[in-house]
């Protein structure tokens, strides 16, 4: 069974630039999550989708972050404009029930 | 607000030593509990989970965890660690009703000396 795919794996941008991350969940998983993991901390949920609807985006900084899952499968997370404090690993996960399966993450460095 | 505390940020053990990593959470309702592990250079992966039933849960690679409801705890244990257990361990808690998000602890970085 293929796992959760994410791209790119690494990204370096300057502050005020924009960036987008892509996630392809495990086939058949209705729930998709985007997490932000800052160095030394645990993953923090940014947004959770159930199919193509948003279940929870209470911790998403909506002035600069956006996410979509148009057809209920793939998802993109965008940051525009980026700030230095956005440097982190962005994890995508998917689940069918309660167990989440994580992708390898995208390491973002904002300079 | 719901929170998850992992008491040890860094643990160093010698091979064959016993391991116990603490995890406490603040939510008082019915919860689902998880331990995830991240080996160097690898994805986060599930180590074990508790939903209901026997509070002593067995996971992969000889790990186990005990849910003590009265203490709001879900500590991870392994009787004898190996060098290959070197990794970062995350405790996570999710309310089992209402679709509440999963909250992760800050993680414990374990280093096992060969």
């Amino acid at each position: 069974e293929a796992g959760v795919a994410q791209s790119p794996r690494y990204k370096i941008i300057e502050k005020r630039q924009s960036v987008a991350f892509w996630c392809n969940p495990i086939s058949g998983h209705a729930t998709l999550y985007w997490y932000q993991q800052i160095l030394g901390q645990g993953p923090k949920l940014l947004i959770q989708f159930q199919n193509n609807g948003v279940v929870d985006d209470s911790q998403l900084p909506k002035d600069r972050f956006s996410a979509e899952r148009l057809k209920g499968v793939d998802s993109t997370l965008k940051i525009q404009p980026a700030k230095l404090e956005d440097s982190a690993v962005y994890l995508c996960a998917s689940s069918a029930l309660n167990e989440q399966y994580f992708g390898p993450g995208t390491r973002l460095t904002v300079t | 607000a719901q929170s998850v505390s992992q008491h040890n940020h860094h643990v160093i053990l010698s091979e064959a030593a016993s391991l116990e990593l603490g995890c406490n959470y603040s939510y008082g309702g019915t919860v689902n509990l998880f331990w995830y592990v991240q080996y160097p250079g690898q994805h986060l992966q599930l180590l074990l989970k508790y939903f209901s039933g026997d509070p002593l849960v067995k996971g992969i690679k000889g790990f186990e965890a005990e849910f003590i409801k009265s203490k709001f705890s879900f500590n991870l244990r392994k009787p004898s660690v190996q060098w290959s257990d070197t990794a970062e361990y995350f405790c996570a808690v999710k309310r089992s009703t209402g679709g509440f998000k999963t909250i992760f602890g800050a993680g414990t970085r374990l280093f096992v000396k060969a």
Side-chain angles (χ1 to χ4, degrees):
Chain A
E1 178 183 81
V4 176
Q6 289 188 248
S7 67
R9 293 294 309 278
Y10 304 91
K11 190 74 177 179
I12 301 173
I13 61 172
E14 296 181 351
K15 59 184 179 184
R16 290 186 289 274
Q17 287 187 322
S18 62
V19 64
F21 313 127
W22 173 82
C23 173
N24 181 237
I26 292 173
S27 177
H29 282 192
T31 310
L32 185 147
Y33 313 79
W34 282 103
Y35 288 89
Q36 180 192 59
Q37 186 176 14
I38 292 171
L39 189 65
Q41 300 180 21
K44 182 184 84 171
L45 183 70
L46 293 176
I47 189 166
Q48 178 179 337
F49 292 94
Q50 182 76 17
N51 296 309
N52 60 348
V54 176
V55 173
D56 187 327
D57 64 356
S58 58
Q59 298 188 109
L60 186 74
K62 298 180 187 64
D63 57 334
R64 298 184 301 105
F65 286 64
S66 64
E68 59 183 14
R69 193 184 184 198
L70 291 175
K71 296 182 179 178
V73 181
D74 292 8
S75 177
T76 56
L77 175 70
K78 296 179 182 178
I79 307 174
Q80 183 179 10
K83 293 185 175 181
L84 294 175
E85 59 260 37
D86 298 333
S87 293
V89 175
Y90 290 85
L91 297 168
C92 180
S94 69
S95 68
L97 294 172
N98 279 305
E99 180 176 338
Q100 295 183 41
Y101 294 82
F102 285 84
T106 297
R107 185 177 297 275
L108 174 67
T109 302
V110 182
T111 63
Chain B
Q2 191 174 358
S3 67
V4 178
S5 298
Q6 292 184 239
H7 313 296
N8 310 99
H9 295 296
H10 294 91
V11 173
I12 301 174
L13 295 173
S14 298
E15 276 197 311
S18 64
L19 171 71
E20 181 159 3
L21 301 182
C23 174
N24 286 89
Y25 61 94
S26 62
Y27 180 66
T30 305
V31 292
N32 298 145
L33 300 161
F34 308 85
W35 276 97
Y36 285 86
V37 61
Q38 188 165 26
Y39 297 103
Q42 296 187 25
H43 309 182
L44 265 171
Q45 58 185 283
L46 185 69
L47 198 56
L48 48 77
K49 61 190 176 187
Y50 172 80
F51 289 166
S52 64
D54 188 344
L56 185 62
V57 180
K58 305 283 187 184
I60 59 172
K61 303 186 180 184
F63 285 90
E64 65 179 30
E66 185 175 11
F67 170 48
I68 303 179
K69 189 174 182 179
S70 61
K71 294 185 178 180
F72 300 94
S73 71
F74 190 55
N75 291 355
L76 181 71
R77 300 194 292 248
K78 185 171 183 178
S80 176
V81 295
Q82 300 173 308
W83 176 81
S84 57
D85 294 324
T86 294
E88 190 158 17
Y89 294 81
F90 294 91
C91 179
V93 177
K94 179 182 182 292
R95 199 164 68 188
S96 60
T97 57
F100 204 76
K101 57 179 165 282
T102 302
I103 307 294
F104 283 79
T108 297
R109 196 176 291 270
L110 171 67
F111 180 73
V112 180
K113 297 184 290 186

